[in-house]
Amino acid sequence: MKHGRLLAWSLVAICASIISTAVRADDDELDSLVMRAASLRQSVDSYLRGQRVRAVPLLSFRGRCPRVGLIYLDSRGRGGPRVATYDVCGNDVTDTGEVSPALPGDAQTRDVGLGVMQAAIRYGRRTQEWRGYVFEAVRISPADTYGCAQVESTVTSEGLLVANSAGRVCP
């Protein structure tokens, strides 16, 4: 009986060690992705734990350390995909634990977002605050003969990522 308990505890310890190593590997992968986006100051698409994710640096955030939003592109809830927010201080990545507010879906909000994206086509970058949200757009390709360009847009509120997209925008 004593050997049975010892064997059971040994198996539990081995399983715990394996699980701990796997979780730490996932954490290292997450940390690496978030630090990469912060360092590049550009969005980075990747896979994390088998899910498509996008790490988005919050360039308009004015905190002590850079901040990155991580969008889980495959997980859709009522308010859209799940978003986590991380602070990157040196080599430490910390989950803020805060939940992003939803972006209003009214026509005025859409018009403001579109106006910011169209201004980014002309000027390369545009940021505008509106109703507690910060709309930021960056042109990521030259404009074509029609005046259209690839633009990445990011919306934040109180230092939290609310939305991010990239695509072709025309004036």
Side-chain angles (χ1 to χ4, degrees):
M1 186 71 167
K2 191 174 186 179
H3 293 291
R5 282 188 190 158
L6 182 60
L7 180 61
W9 281 111
S10 295
L11 288 174
V12 168
I14 290 169
C15 288
S17 174
I18 291 169
I19 290 169
S20 173
T21 302
V23 168
R24 187 64 232 151
D26 284 346
D27 288 347
D28 289 347
E29 192 177 341
L30 183 143
D31 290 357
S32 175
L33 176 62
V34 169
M35 285 192 289
R36 183 168 179 227
S39 138
L40 291 174
R41 298 178 53 83
Q42 295 178 353
S43 297
V44 178
D45 286 359
S46 187
Y47 282 88
L48 189 63
R49 299 179 188 112
Q51 294 184 55
R52 290 180 319 127
V53 294
R54 177 175 298 139
V56 181
L58 307 185
L59 302 176
S60 61
F61 179 68
R62 300 290 174 238
R64 182 175 62 83
C65 299
R67 185 165 275 185
V68 174
L70 186 66
I71 305 170
Y72 290 84
L73 298 168
D74 295 331
S75 68
R76 297 263 180 218
R78 284 192 321 197
R82 184 169 73 90
V83 178
T85 305
Y86 298 90
D87 286 331
V88 181
C89 297
N91 288 328
D92 293 326
V93 175
T94 308
D95 187 343
T96 65
E98 300 177 71
V99 176
S100 302
L103 184 64
D106 61 282
Q108 287 180 324
T109 302
R110 285 191 302 275
D111 289 346
V112 168
L114 181 59
V116 171
M117 289 185 285
Q118 289 172 334
I121 293 173
R122 287 189 295 278
Y123 305 113
R125 173 182 298 274
R126 178 61 63 157
T127 301
Q128 180 176 338
E129 292 186 39
W130 189 74
R131 290 188 179 172
Y133 293 90
V134 177
F135 292 78
E136 185 170 18
V138 178
R139 186 183 64 226
I140 54 178
S141 76
D144 61 20
T145 56
Y146 301 102
C148 303
Q150 294 291 319
V151 174
E152 180 176 14
S153 64
T154 303
V155 181
T156 60
S157 178
E158 299 179 15
L160 301 172
L161 179 63
V162 176
N164 172 270
S165 67
R168 185 170 189 256
V169 178
C170 297

Coordinates of all heavy atoms in Angstrom, one line a residue, residues 11-57:
L11 N 3.6 10.0 -9.8 CA 2.9 10.3 -11.0 C 2.3 11.7 -11.0 O 2.3 12.5 -12.0 CB 1.8 9.3 -11.3 CG 2.3 7.9 -11.7 CD1 1.2 6.9 -11.8 CD2 3.1 8.0 -13.1
V12 N 1.7 12.1 -9.9 CA 1.1 13.4 -9.7 C 2.2 14.5 -9.9 O 2.0 15.5 -10.6 CB 0.4 13.6 -8.3 CG1 0.1 15.0 -8.1 CG2 -0.8 12.7 -8.3
A13 N 3.4 14.3 -9.3 CA 4.5 15.2 -9.3 C 5.0 15.4 -10.8 O 5.2 16.5 -11.3 CB 5.6 14.8 -8.4
I14 N 5.1 14.2 -11.5 CA 5.5 14.2 -12.9 C 4.5 15.0 -13.8 O 4.9 15.8 -14.6 CB 5.8 12.8 -13.4 CG1 7.0 12.2 -12.7 CG2 5.9 12.8 -14.9 CD1 7.2 10.7 -12.9
C15 N 3.2 14.7 -13.6 CA 2.2 15.4 -14.4 C 2.2 16.9 -14.1 O 2.1 17.7 -15.0 CB 0.8 14.8 -14.1 SG 0.6 13.1 -14.8
A16 N 2.3 17.2 -12.8 CA 2.3 18.7 -12.5 C 3.5 19.4 -13.1 O 3.4 20.5 -13.6 CB 2.4 18.8 -10.9
S17 N 4.7 18.7 -13.1 CA 5.9 19.2 -13.7 C 5.7 19.4 -15.2 O 6.0 20.5 -15.8 CB 7.1 18.3 -13.4 OG 8.2 18.8 -14.1
I18 N 5.1 18.5 -15.9 CA 4.9 18.5 -17.3 C 3.9 19.7 -17.6 O 4.1 20.5 -18.5 CB 4.3 17.2 -17.9 CG1 5.5 16.2 -17.8 CG2 3.8 17.4 -19.3 CD1 5.0 14.7 -18.1
I19 N 2.8 19.8 -16.9 CA 1.8 20.8 -17.1 C 2.4 22.2 -16.8 O 2.2 23.1 -17.6 CB 0.6 20.6 -16.2 CG1 -0.2 19.4 -16.7 CG2 -0.3 21.8 -16.2 CD1 -1.3 18.9 -15.8
S20 N 3.2 22.3 -15.7 CA 3.8 23.6 -15.4 C 4.8 24.0 -16.5 O 4.8 25.1 -16.9 CB 4.6 23.4 -14.1 OG 5.4 24.6 -13.9
T21 N 5.5 23.0 -17.1 CA 6.5 23.4 -18.2 C 5.7 23.8 -19.4 O 6.1 24.8 -20.1 CB 7.3 22.1 -18.5 OG1 8.0 21.7 -17.3 CG2 8.3 22.4 -19.6
A22 N 4.6 23.1 -19.7 CA 3.8 23.5 -20.9 C 3.2 24.9 -20.7 O 3.1 25.7 -21.6 CB 2.7 22.5 -21.1
V23 N 2.6 25.2 -19.5 CA 2.1 26.5 -19.2 C 3.1 27.6 -19.3 O 2.9 28.6 -19.9 CB 1.4 26.5 -17.8 CG1 1.0 27.9 -17.4 CG2 0.1 25.6 -17.9
R24 N 4.3 27.3 -18.8 CA 5.4 28.3 -18.8 C 5.8 28.5 -20.3 O 6.1 29.6 -20.7 CB 6.6 27.8 -18.0 CG 7.7 28.8 -17.8 CD 7.2 30.0 -17.1 NE 7.6 31.2 -17.9 CZ 7.0 32.3 -17.9 NH1 6.0 32.5 -17.2 NH2 7.4 33.3 -18.6
A25 N 5.8 27.5 -21.1 CA 6.2 27.6 -22.5 C 5.2 28.5 -23.2 O 5.5 29.4 -24.0 CB 6.3 26.3 -23.2
D26 N 3.9 28.3 -22.9 CA 2.8 29.2 -23.4 C 3.0 30.6 -23.0 O 2.9 31.5 -23.8 CB 1.4 28.7 -23.0 CG 1.0 27.4 -23.8 OD1 1.6 27.1 -24.8 OD2 0.0 26.8 -23.3
D27 N 3.3 30.8 -21.7 CA 3.6 32.1 -21.2 C 4.8 32.8 -21.9 O 4.7 34.0 -22.2 CB 3.8 32.1 -19.7 CG 2.5 31.8 -18.9 OD1 1.4 31.9 -19.5 OD2 2.6 31.5 -17.7
D28 N 5.8 32.0 -22.1 CA 7.0 32.5 -22.8 C 6.6 32.9 -24.2 O 7.1 34.0 -24.7 CB 8.1 31.5 -22.8 CG 8.8 31.3 -21.5 OD1 8.5 32.1 -20.5 OD2 9.5 30.2 -21.3
E29 N 5.8 32.1 -24.9 CA 5.4 32.5 -26.2 C 4.6 33.7 -26.2 O 4.7 34.6 -27.1 CB 4.6 31.3 -26.8 CG 4.3 31.3 -28.2 CD 3.5 30.1 -28.7 OE1 3.5 29.0 -28.0 OE2 2.9 30.1 -29.8
L30 N 3.6 33.9 -25.3 CA 2.8 35.1 -25.2 C 3.7 36.3 -24.9 O 3.6 37.3 -25.5 CB 1.8 34.9 -24.0 CG 0.8 36.1 -23.9 CD1 -0.6 35.6 -23.5 CD2 1.3 37.0 -22.8
D31 N 4.6 36.2 -23.9 CA 5.5 37.3 -23.6 C 6.3 37.7 -24.8 O 6.5 38.9 -25.0 CB 6.5 36.9 -22.4 CG 5.7 36.7 -21.1 OD1 4.5 37.0 -21.0 OD2 6.4 36.3 -20.1
S32 N 6.9 36.7 -25.5 CA 7.7 37.0 -26.7 C 6.9 37.8 -27.7 O 7.4 38.8 -28.3 CB 8.2 35.7 -27.2 OG 8.9 36.0 -28.4
L33 N 5.7 37.4 -28.0 CA 4.8 38.0 -29.0 C 4.5 39.4 -28.6 O 4.6 40.4 -29.4 CB 3.5 37.2 -29.2 CG 2.5 37.8 -30.1 CD1 3.0 37.9 -31.5 CD2 1.2 36.9 -30.1
V34 N 4.1 39.6 -27.3 CA 3.7 41.0 -26.8 C 4.9 41.9 -26.8 O 4.9 43.0 -27.3 CB 3.1 40.8 -25.4 CG1 3.0 42.2 -24.8 CG2 1.7 40.1 -25.5
M35 N 6.1 41.4 -26.4 CA 7.3 42.2 -26.4 C 7.7 42.6 -27.8 O 8.2 43.7 -28.1 CB 8.5 41.5 -25.7 CG 8.3 41.5 -24.2 SD 9.7 41.0 -23.3 CE 9.8 39.3 -23.6
R36 N 7.5 41.7 -28.8 CA 7.9 41.9 -30.2 C 7.0 43.1 -30.7 O 7.5 44.0 -31.4 CB 7.7 40.7 -31.0 CG 8.1 40.9 -32.4 CD 8.2 39.5 -33.2 NE 8.5 39.7 -34.5 CZ 8.0 39.2 -35.6 NH1 7.0 38.3 -35.4 NH2 8.3 39.5 -36.8
A37 N 5.7 43.0 -30.5 CA 4.8 44.1 -30.9 C 5.2 45.4 -30.3 O 5.2 46.5 -31.0 CB 3.4 43.7 -30.6
A38 N 5.5 45.4 -29.0 CA 5.9 46.7 -28.3 C 7.2 47.2 -28.9 O 7.3 48.4 -29.1 CB 6.1 46.4 -26.8
S39 N 8.2 46.3 -29.2 CA 9.4 46.8 -29.7 C 9.4 47.3 -31.2 O 9.9 48.3 -31.5 CB 10.4 45.6 -29.6 OG 11.2 45.5 -30.6
L40 N 8.6 46.6 -32.0 CA 8.4 47.0 -33.4 C 7.5 48.2 -33.6 O 7.6 48.9 -34.6 CB 7.8 45.8 -34.2 CG 8.7 44.6 -34.4 CD1 7.9 43.5 -35.1 CD2 9.9 45.0 -35.3
R41 N 6.6 48.4 -32.6 CA 5.6 49.4 -32.6 C 4.7 49.2 -33.9 O 4.3 50.1 -34.5 CB 6.2 50.8 -32.6 CG 7.0 51.1 -31.3 CD 7.7 52.5 -31.3 NE 6.8 53.6 -31.6 CZ 6.0 54.2 -30.7 NH1 6.0 53.8 -29.5 NH2 5.3 55.2 -31.1
Q42 N 4.5 47.9 -34.2 CA 3.6 47.5 -35.2 C 2.8 46.3 -34.8 O 3.3 45.5 -33.9 CB 4.4 47.1 -36.5 CG 5.2 48.2 -37.1 CD 6.0 47.7 -38.3 OE1 6.1 46.5 -38.6 NE2 6.6 48.6 -39.0
S43 N 1.7 46.1 -35.4 CA 0.9 44.9 -35.1 C 1.6 43.6 -35.6 O 2.3 43.7 -36.6 CB -0.5 45.0 -35.8 OG -1.2 46.1 -35.2
V44 N 1.4 42.5 -34.8 CA 2.0 41.3 -35.2 C 0.9 40.2 -35.1 O 0.3 40.0 -34.1 CB 3.2 40.9 -34.2 CG1 3.8 39.5 -34.6 CG2 4.3 42.0 -34.2
D45 N 0.7 39.5 -36.3 CA -0.2 38.4 -36.3 C 0.5 37.1 -36.0 O 1.6 36.9 -36.5 CB -0.9 38.3 -37.6 CG -2.0 39.4 -37.8 OD1 -2.1 40.2 -36.9 OD2 -2.6 39.5 -38.9
S46 N -0.1 36.2 -35.3 CA 0.6 34.9 -34.9 C -0.5 33.9 -34.5 O -1.7 34.2 -34.5 CB 1.6 35.2 -33.8 OG 2.4 34.0 -33.6
Y47 N 0.0 32.8 -34.0 CA -0.8 31.8 -33.3 C -0.3 31.6 -31.9 O 0.9 31.6 -31.7 CB -0.7 30.4 -34.1 CG -1.5 30.4 -35.3 CD1 -1.0 30.8 -36.5 CD2 -2.9 29.9 -35.3 CE1 -1.8 30.8 -37.7 CE2 -3.6 29.9 -36.5 CZ -3.1 30.4 -37.6 OH -3.8 30.3 -38.8
L48 N -1.3 31.4 -31.0 CA -0.9 31.3 -29.6 C -1.9 30.2 -29.1 O -3.1 30.4 -29.1 CB -1.1 32.6 -28.9 CG -0.6 32.7 -27.4 CD1 0.9 32.4 -27.3 CD2 -0.9 34.0 -26.9
R49 N -1.4 29.1 -28.6 CA -2.2 28.0 -28.1 C -3.2 27.5 -29.1 O -4.4 27.2 -28.8 CB -2.9 28.4 -26.8 CG -2.0 28.8 -25.7 CD -2.8 29.2 -24.4 NE -1.8 29.7 -23.4 CZ -1.8 31.0 -23.0 NH1 -2.6 31.9 -23.5 NH2 -0.9 31.4 -22.2
G50 N -2.8 27.5 -30.4 CA -3.6 27.1 -31.5 C -4.7 28.1 -31.9 O -5.5 27.7 -32.8
Q51 N -4.7 29.3 -31.4 CA -5.6 30.3 -31.8 C -4.9 31.4 -32.6 O -3.8 31.8 -32.2 CB -6.3 30.9 -30.6 CG -7.2 30.0 -29.8 CD -7.9 30.7 -28.7 OE1 -8.5 31.8 -28.9 NE2 -7.7 30.3 -27.5
R52 N -5.6 32.0 -33.6 CA -5.1 33.1 -34.3 C -5.2 34.4 -33.3 O -6.2 34.6 -32.7 CB -5.9 33.4 -35.5 CG -5.7 32.4 -36.6 CD -6.5 32.8 -37.9 NE -7.8 33.3 -37.6 CZ -8.3 34.4 -38.1 NH1 -7.6 35.2 -38.9 NH2 -9.5 34.8 -37.8
V53 N -4.1 35.1 -33.2 CA -4.0 36.3 -32.4 C -3.4 37.4 -33.1 O -2.6 37.2 -34.1 CB -3.3 36.0 -31.1 CG1 -4.0 35.0 -30.2 CG2 -1.9 35.6 -31.3
R54 N -3.6 38.6 -32.7 CA -3.0 39.8 -33.2 C -2.6 40.7 -32.0 O -3.4 41.1 -31.2 CB -3.9 40.6 -34.1 CG -3.2 41.9 -34.6 CD -4.1 42.7 -35.6 NE -4.3 41.8 -36.8 CZ -5.5 41.7 -37.4 NH1 -6.5 42.3 -37.0 NH2 -5.6 40.9 -38.4
A55 N -1.3 40.9 -31.9 CA -0.7 41.8 -30.8 C -0.6 43.2 -31.4 O 0.0 43.4 -32.4 CB 0.6 41.3 -30.4
V56 N -1.3 44.2 -30.8 CA -1.4 45.5 -31.3 C -0.8 46.5 -30.3 O -1.3 46.7 -29.2 CB -2.9 45.9 -31.5 CG1 -3.0 47.3 -32.1 CG2 -3.5 44.9 -32.5
P57 N 0.3 47.2 -30.6 CA 0.9 48.2 -29.7 C -0.1 49.4 -29.6 O -0.6 49.8 -30.6 CB 2.2 48.6 -30.3 CG 2.1 48.2 -31.7 CD 1.1 47.1 -31.8

